[in-house]
Amino acid sequence: MMLTVTGGQWFFPLVIICLILGIVATIAQKKKLTKLKRITDNFAYAILVILLIIEWILYFQKQFNFITPAIYTLVVIYLIGRQLLIRYRSSLLKKLGAKYKQLTIGLATIYIILVTLLLLIGSKFSTMGWIIAGLVIVAFGFVSYIFEKDKQ
């Protein structure tokens, strides 16, 4: 219903807004403009949550199957959780010590397994689903490794 009201013409402007946010956030990070970086981050998270709500509304209107909003929900939870871990890194490092790294790796692994499982269920365990799940595991594992290596 919501997509028919707008005609589906909201996606391209959303992509443009996200690109602008990404560019502004990158510039703010390079020039050490923490206030601007915080504003762009908060705006990006607001967009994520709004899209999450739209996904679930479309699911309850029977326009999506359960897998699409479930995967998106996991992505949003992971991104917000990751930012919380980064924000409270110093205090968590004091409390947990070396276990902090194990915690971040464990959470990333659980996230990858859950997304992969949802993809397999959504594809009804077809051959293509297994191939896509394998590619997701490799891609997410590589990205997670890059993030962890960058933090050190």
Side-chain angles (χ1 to χ4, degrees), residues 71 74-75 110-120 136 140:
I71 290 175
L74 283 176
V75 169
I110 291 170
Y111 167 73
I112 291 169
I113 290 170
L114 287 174
V115 169
T116 304
L117 182 63
L118 284 172
L119 287 172
L120 285 173
V136 164
F140 283 16

Side-chain angles (χ1 to χ4, degrees), residues 71-101:
I71 290 175
Y72 191 75
T73 301
L74 283 176
V75 169
V76 170
I77 289 170
Y78 177 76
L79 290 174
I80 291 173
R82 187 84 182 134
Q83 286 302 315
L84 288 173
L85 282 175
I86 290 170
R87 175 170 266 182
Y88 298 111
R89 184 172 193 253
S90 60
S91 63
L92 286 172
L93 274 172
K94 288 178 188 174
K95 290 180 183 177
L96 300 174
K99 295 212 185 253
Y100 174 78
K101 187 170 183 171

Side-chain angles (χ1 to χ4, degrees), residues 14-32:
L14 179 67
V15 170
I16 299 298
I17 288 171
C18 290
L19 285 172
I20 291 170
L21 277 175
I23 291 168
V24 170
T26 303
I27 292 170
Q29 186 173 7
K30 285 184 179 182
K31 295 193 177 204
K32 308 265 192 242

Side-chain angles (χ1 to χ4, degrees), residues 39-107:
I39 290 170
T40 56
D41 285 348
N42 290 338
F43 192 68
Y45 288 122
I47 289 174
L48 276 174
V49 170
I50 290 168
L51 287 174
L52 179 65
I53 292 168
I54 290 171
E55 289 270 339
W56 281 105
I57 289 171
L58 292 175
Y59 164 72
F60 286 117
Q61 290 182 347
K62 308 288 188 230
Q63 293 185 21
F64 283 145
N65 61 3
F66 175 74
I67 301 302
T68 304
I71 290 175
Y72 191 75
T73 301
L74 283 176
V75 169
V76 170
I77 289 170
Y78 177 76
L79 290 174
I80 291 173
R82 187 84 182 134
Q83 286 302 315
L84 288 173
L85 282 175
I86 290 170
R87 175 170 266 182
Y88 298 111
R89 184 172 193 253
S90 60
S91 63
L92 286 172
L93 274 172
K94 288 178 188 174
K95 290 180 183 177
L96 300 174
K99 295 212 185 253
Y100 174 78
K101 187 170 183 171
Q102 293 173 347
L103 174 69
T104 58
I105 291 171
L107 289 175

